[in-house]
Amino acid sequence: MTYGDAVLFGAVQGLTEFLPVSSSGHIVLLEKLLHVNVEGNTAFVLMLHVGTLLAVLYAMRREVRWLIQHPKARETWMIVVALLPTAVIGALFEEWFDDLFESGATIGLEFLLTGVILWWMDAVEAGKKNEKTMTVADSLWIGALQGAAILPALSRSGLTIAGGLWRGLNREAATRFSFLLSIPAILGGVLVKLDDLVEAHHSAALSSGPMMAGMLAALVTGYLSVRWTKSLVSRARMRWFAVYTFALSAWILFDQLVQHRFFPPLA
């Protein structure tokens, strides 16, 4: 992998991990367009996850510090509760998700659904709940949506923020809860990739220059995307991203159904 490839994939991973347009969908798209198998490079994927994890930890450092200092607080337990459906969905459908990720066959439809959700987010009237007043049902619902977002082109941040708004959270609380919930989710991905790396005896690959460059690109762009998304959600400015994902969906579906170039046809 060249430095250019590494920085490109790292920047795309960081930006789209927290902007509501689906990082995994964009990685699949880049793989298909550039004919590069990034997901097969366990060490590189691990470094990208580390970069985005460091980005959100730094961007949310005050909130994370508060949660660590108050492990018995309701806000902390709401995050723990939300992780339960995420873990169950991931465990039950892991193989199916992996197959969809590898083929990219459904990402056109998933980008379309992401766009519909983003369009709705600007139209919905936000509620008054926050992390202190949200219920266990609210938390479970948001966690289930995070689990569903394992599908390649469903945006994790988009679905979880929309889930919070659907359950009556205000815009700031929905966004904050989504990003805090992403931390253990990304950490889990890092641990899984690390375990795979150890099993494959490729740990020395972590020191390579392009991988470090990709990680740094993911870290910088990830931090910027967290800040940007928080601002845009609070001002109800998601429809620009909806238009973008609609355009991506139209292009991919046209390619699948008419030209059959980069993607396999839908079954």
Side-chain angles (χ1 to χ4, degrees):
M1 179 175 293
T2 67
Y3 278 95
D5 289 339
V7 170
L8 174 62
F9 276 97
V12 169
Q13 172 71 28
L15 278 174
T16 58
E17 179 69 42
F18 303 110
L19 289 176
V21 293
S22 175
S23 60
S24 56
H26 279 78
I27 294 299
V28 170
L29 187 59
L30 273 181
E31 285 184 321
K32 298 293 183 180
L33 291 173
L34 301 179
H35 306 288
V36 176
N37 181 17
V38 168
E39 281 300 307
N41 189 334
T42 304
F44 183 63
V45 173
L46 172 65
M47 297 306 283
L48 295 188
H49 285 184
V50 170
T52 53
L53 177 62
L54 293 175
V56 69
L57 281 172
Y58 184 72
M60 305 295 292
R61 59 193 180 279
R62 294 183 181 87
E63 293 85 351
V64 171
R65 186 183 305 117
W66 189 92
L67 291 174
I68 293 173
Q69 293 171 346
H70 301 83
K72 296 182 180 180
R74 181 176 182 80
E75 295 92 325
T76 305
W77 281 104
M78 287 299 97
I79 292 174
V80 173
V81 169
L83 291 173
L84 299 177
T86 299
V88 171
I89 292 171
L92 291 178
F93 300 103
E94 179 181 9
E95 185 174 345
W96 183 55
F97 288 144
D98 287 344
D99 290 342
L100 290 177
F101 198 107
E102 183 176 351
S103 70
T106 61
I107 67 171
L109 294 175
E110 289 153 10
F111 273 126
L112 176 62
L113 180 55
T114 292
V116 170
I117 292 168
L118 296 178
W119 193 271
W120 172 85
M121 283 171 62
D122 279 0
V124 66
E125 183 177 349
K128 298 181 178 180
K129 291 182 184 178
N130 56 31
E131 296 92 331
K132 291 183 179 180
T133 57
M134 67 188 296
T135 66
V136 170
D138 299 334
S139 186
L140 289 172
W141 173 248
I142 297 170
L145 290 175
Q146 177 166 263
I150 300 175
L151 286 167
L154 287 184
S155 168
R156 192 212 63 82
S157 62
L159 259 66
T160 52
I161 295 171
L165 295 174
W166 179 270
R167 297 293 301 184
L169 272 68
N170 64 57
R171 292 186 180 276
E172 291 74 16
T175 307
R176 186 168 53 244
F177 191 80
S178 169
F179 288 148
L180 289 172
L181 188 58
S182 75
I183 293 172
I186 297 173
L187 179 60
V190 168
L191 294 177
V192 168
K193 294 297 181 183
L194 183 60
D195 184 61
D196 292 343
L197 195 66
V198 171
E199 289 182 4
H201 305 292
H202 290 160
S203 56
L206 294 177
S207 62
S208 72
M211 291 184 185
M212 295 301 295
M215 184 197 75
L216 290 174
L219 192 162
V220 173
T221 57
Y223 172 77
L224 294 175
S225 67
V226 169
R227 298 292 299 271
W228 192 15
T229 302
K230 290 170 69 175
S231 173
L232 291 172
V233 173
S234 67
R235 294 184 289 122
R237 294 292 188 271
M238 290 291 101
R239 287 188 175 175
W240 291 107
F241 296 108
V243 171
Y244 170 71
T245 55
F246 285 149
L248 270 184
S249 173
W251 170 54
I252 294 168
L253 289 174
F254 176 77
D255 185 89
Q256 285 180 308
L257 300 175
V258 179
Q259 296 185 325
H260 308 309
R261 289 187 304 179
F262 300 123
F263 303 95
L266 293 172

